[in-house]
Amino acid sequence: MNEFELIRTYFARQPVQRADVVLGIGDDAAILAPPLGKQVCVTTDVMVSGVHFLPDADPVALGHKALAVNLSDLAAMGAEPAWFTLNLTLPEVKATWLEQFCQGLFALACQYNVQLVGGNTSRGPLAIAIEAQGFVPEGRALLRSGARVGDRVYVTGELGDAGLALQHELGKGRLPDAVFEAIADKLHRPTPRIPEGMALRDIAHSAIDISDGLLSDLGHILEASHVGARLFLANIPVSLAYRDHIKETGWDLALTNGDDYELCFTVPEKNTVALEKLQFPCGFHCIGQIEQMHGLRITDESGKPYRPRQTGHDHFAEKIE
Ligand code: ADP
Ligand code: MG
């Protein structure tokens, strides 16, 4: 199968058809018609075999995750996803691998009505790069730089399960099979918090998605906003599976492990009533407060300062009291 047959077979006949795609796959470039009054948010992420996933990783999950991590970045901006492009580098053309990859990719694309409008296909070490675009009403994107002293700090969903599942896969902490199966999707098929990000546009001052770990990612908000924060360990939301293993695992996976793809956001006191009215299926929890004093302070269950063993962010480690 040559490059053009491959594109025609797997990528050109894709299921989402949006009216704002004037010209999709097939020409030298796509032509897109963004709606009036909206700004276009653009993001890209690459996943490289041997770096971000094992060469024998499930292709269905890879297709899902390659798009999900990009949609998660759009969610963190409060954007509504619209289009994406796919740059695929493959060592060889394997029909079953490509079919399964497309199955995972397009199932998620359908879920959020985001259309594949172009890309590039080349031979080489396996790597998947996606660029995604979405819309925000003019001037209303959620930025890292918007946090203000007095804001409450929140996270969606629960933290740490992706880290727990990864530890299990790396043989560092065995979980019972049923427990691993219950949390494996958090690692391999993360859910981008798209409706949550869009709903937070009018309520949150700032937002980020948790791809590198809560402390590191919240650290980016603090730095961009020139503020500090206090977190309460007892308020960090973790799953029942995580709680069951907390004696061995401790809090650090939930605080410092990446791959959770939840949103961390800050909300001014005056908007907390509106926030409480929002119905997120994944839920959300207040985990702390933005303070004037720079750096991040964590209080444990007994009111004492808590210092994580690692932060995943060296620069950040110096700032913990
Ligand atoms: P060019 O050589 O002009 O860059 P290509 O032959 O690489 O064009 O691609 C032909 C068409 O197929 C283009 O519209 C391109 O966007 C699309 N395409 C190529 N690879 C992919 C892919 N992996 N996924 C989606 N579309 C692709
Ligand atoms: Mg060309």
Side-chain angles (χ1 to χ4, degrees), residues 18-297:
R18 292 176 57 102
D20 53 16
V21 177
V22 180
L23 187 64
I25 291 171
D27 213 309
D28 293 307
I31 304 176
L32 308 169
L36 281 177
K38 299 270 174 91
Q39 292 173 325
V40 180
C41 261
V42 183
T43 185
T44 186
D45 254 312
V46 66
M47 288 182 15
V48 179
S49 176
V51 179
H52 301 96
F53 59 89
L54 298 172
D56 63 350
D58 171 18
V60 183
L62 282 182
H64 176 105
K65 191 163 178 177
L67 181 57
V69 298
N70 281 282
L71 296 186
S72 177
D73 281 322
L74 291 182
M77 303 298 290
E80 174 191 356
W83 314 304
F84 70 107
T85 56
L86 168 67
N87 281 290
L88 197 55
T89 314
L90 295 168
E92 56 188 331
V93 177
K94 272 201 219 145
T96 49
W97 191 95
L98 277 160
E99 275 158 23
Q100 291 173 5
F101 175 81
C102 285
Q103 188 189 320
L105 181 77
F106 291 131
L108 188 66
C110 285
Q111 202 179 328
Y112 294 101
N113 192 36
V114 51
Q115 182 170 344
L116 178 64
V117 295
N120 190 50
T121 312
S122 156
R123 196 175 290 275
L126 179 58
I128 308 153
I130 284 180
E131 181 187 288
Q133 288 119 11
F135 310 136
V136 280
E138 231 167 277
R140 298 214 347 248
L142 288 168
L143 307 184
R144 297 178 178 190
S145 55
R148 296 290 173 264
V149 173
D151 281 4
R152 295 188 185 174
V153 181
Y154 292 82
V155 288
T156 58
E158 294 164 332
L159 303 181
D161 279 355
L164 199 59
L166 183 65
Q167 295 272 20
H168 171 89
E169 287 195 352
L170 297 175
K172 287 188 189 161
R174 294 299 296 177
L175 299 169
D177 285 349
V179 174
F180 173 70
E181 271 157 37
I183 63 169
D185 274 3
K186 278 292 284 191
L187 177 62
H188 295 299
R189 292 167 194 251
T191 303
R193 301 301 185 196
I194 294 289
E196 291 81 4
M198 288 170 65
L200 289 169
R201 260 187 329 229
D202 296 326
I203 289 174
H205 269 166
S206 69
I208 193 167
D209 69 322
I210 303 177
S211 52
D212 297 330
L214 172 66
L215 300 190
S216 171
D217 289 318
L218 175 58
H220 295 314
I221 286 187
L222 302 184
E223 223 163 273
S225 302
H226 310 291
V227 292
R230 176 173 298 281
L231 297 186
F232 298 97
L233 212 49
N235 295 6
I236 304 289
V238 293
S239 67
L240 287 176
Y242 194 97
R243 215 164 264 287
D244 276 349
H245 289 80
I246 210 149
K247 275 216 177 74
E248 304 95 77
T249 313
W251 284 100
D252 283 9
L253 279 183
L255 294 174
T256 64
N257 201 87
D259 267 354
D260 280 317
Y261 295 102
E262 296 296 346
L263 297 181
C264 175
F265 56 98
T266 75
V267 174
E269 187 79 40
K270 68 175 169 58
N271 287 353
T272 54
V273 174
L275 175 69
E276 293 299 331
K277 287 194 186 129
L278 296 178
Q279 304 279 327
F280 293 170
C282 60
F284 59 86
H285 289 87
C286 179
I287 59 169
Q289 196 137 21
I290 297 294
E291 298 177 337
Q292 194 151 24
M293 187 173 141
H294 286 202
L296 184 53
R297 293 151 290 279

